[in-house]
Amino acid sequence: AVVSTQSTGEDEDEMFVKEEPEETAAIKQPVIMGGGGTGGQHGGLVQKIIDSQKQYTGTTNKQEDKGPLMSQAAKQKERALTKKEIDQLRTGIQTLASSAAPLGKVLDYLQEDLDSMQKELENWRSENKYHETAIKAEESHMEKTLEPLRDQLEDTEQQIIDMINKINSMKCNIHNNDQKIGQMLSTMSFTAS
C-alpha cells in the first residue's frame, strides 16, 4: 500500500491510503520530480520510465482483466448450466412430489381398506356357511317330508299297474266271452234251421 499526502488548501494533514496491486507496487520506482516541485516537467529518462510503467501496468491490467473476464464468462456459463440443472432437478422433484402425494394418501388409506375388505370377506364367508347349513337342513327336512310321499307314490303306481292288469284281463275275458257267445249263437242258429 502506498501512503501519499495530498495538500489541499484547507487541510494539509489529511492522509489517504491507496492500495494498488502488489505487482504494480513492486515495479513502481520513486519518481523524481523536476523543476522544484512544479510537477509539470520531467526529464527524458524519467518520462520514459513513467511511460514504460504505464504501458506495463496497462498490459498487466488488461491481462488481469482478460483472465477474470474469461474465468467470469466460464463461471457465468457454468452457473447458467448449474442453474439449468437445478431448475430441471427442481421440476423433476416437484413432479415427483405432486405424483407421490396422491400415492401417499392412497397408501395411508390402504391398510384401512384392507381391513374393511377382510371384514367384508369374513362376513360373506360366514353368511355363505349359514346359507349352506340352511340349505342342508332344508334338504334333510324335504327328504324326511318326501319319503312318505314317495312311498305313497310307489303304492299308487303299483295300484295303477294292478288296475291296468285287471282291466286287460277283463278285456281279455270279455273278448273270450264275446267269442263264446258268438259261437253259441251261430250253433243255435244252425240247429234251429
Side-chain angles (χ1 to χ4, degrees):
V2 177
V3 179
S4 63
T5 58
Q6 294 181 350
S7 59
T8 61
E10 303 168 4
D11 191 12
E12 293 183 14
D13 295 332
E14 196 173 328
M15 296 184 70
F16 294 97
V17 176
K18 181 178 175 184
E19 289 189 24
E20 295 183 18
E22 292 179 17
E23 294 176 2
T24 55
I27 294 175
K28 279 194 174 179
Q29 304 278 333
V31 178
I32 301 171
M33 307 286 277
T38 58
Q41 303 293 328
H42 293 291
L45 183 59
V46 174
Q47 188 64 39
K48 283 184 182 181
I49 292 173
I50 292 172
D51 290 341
S52 65
Q53 280 182 350
K54 285 181 181 178
Q55 191 175 24
Y56 177 75
T57 58
T59 57
T60 57
N61 285 343
K62 287 180 185 175
Q63 288 175 353
E64 287 176 1
D65 288 345
K66 283 184 183 178
L69 280 179
M70 290 179 71
S71 65
Q72 282 181 355
K75 284 180 184 178
Q76 285 178 350
K77 187 175 183 181
E78 190 174 319
R79 283 182 188 150
L81 287 173
T82 305
K83 185 177 180 185
K84 185 176 179 183
E85 288 176 3
I86 289 172
D87 287 343
Q88 288 175 345
L89 185 60
R90 181 181 298 131
T91 304
I93 290 171
Q94 287 174 348
T95 304
L96 179 64
S98 66
S99 300
L103 182 62
K105 289 180 182 178
V106 167
L107 290 176
D108 289 343
Y109 296 116
L110 181 65
Q111 186 62 39
E112 206 174 288
D113 290 344
L114 284 174
D115 291 342
S116 67
M117 286 189 286
Q118 191 68 31
K119 286 178 183 176
E120 189 173 350
L121 179 63
E122 289 300 320
N123 286 339
W124 285 114
R125 283 183 178 165
S126 66
E127 190 172 336
N128 188 31
K129 278 185 179 180
Y130 170 76
H131 287 297
E132 282 179 356
T133 307
I135 288 172
K136 286 180 182 177
E138 192 65 32
E139 285 176 348
S140 173
H141 177 63
M142 286 175 70
E143 284 294 322
K144 288 178 183 176
T145 306
L146 289 177
E147 191 64 37
L149 293 175
R150 283 187 184 138
D151 290 342
Q152 188 179 1
L153 179 64
E154 283 180 19
D155 287 345
T156 308
E157 284 177 349
Q158 188 61 42
Q159 287 175 1
I160 290 171
I161 290 171
D162 289 345
M163 289 296 263
I164 289 173
N165 286 338
K166 279 184 183 179
I167 290 172
N168 285 339
S169 71
M170 291 264 215
K171 281 183 180 179
C172 192
N173 284 336
I174 291 172
H175 182 65
N176 286 339
N177 287 337
D178 277 343
Q179 283 180 353
K180 283 182 184 178
I181 292 174
Q183 282 177 357
M184 287 177 155
L185 284 175
S186 64
T187 52
M188 281 180 132
S189 54
F190 280 138
T191 46
S193 34

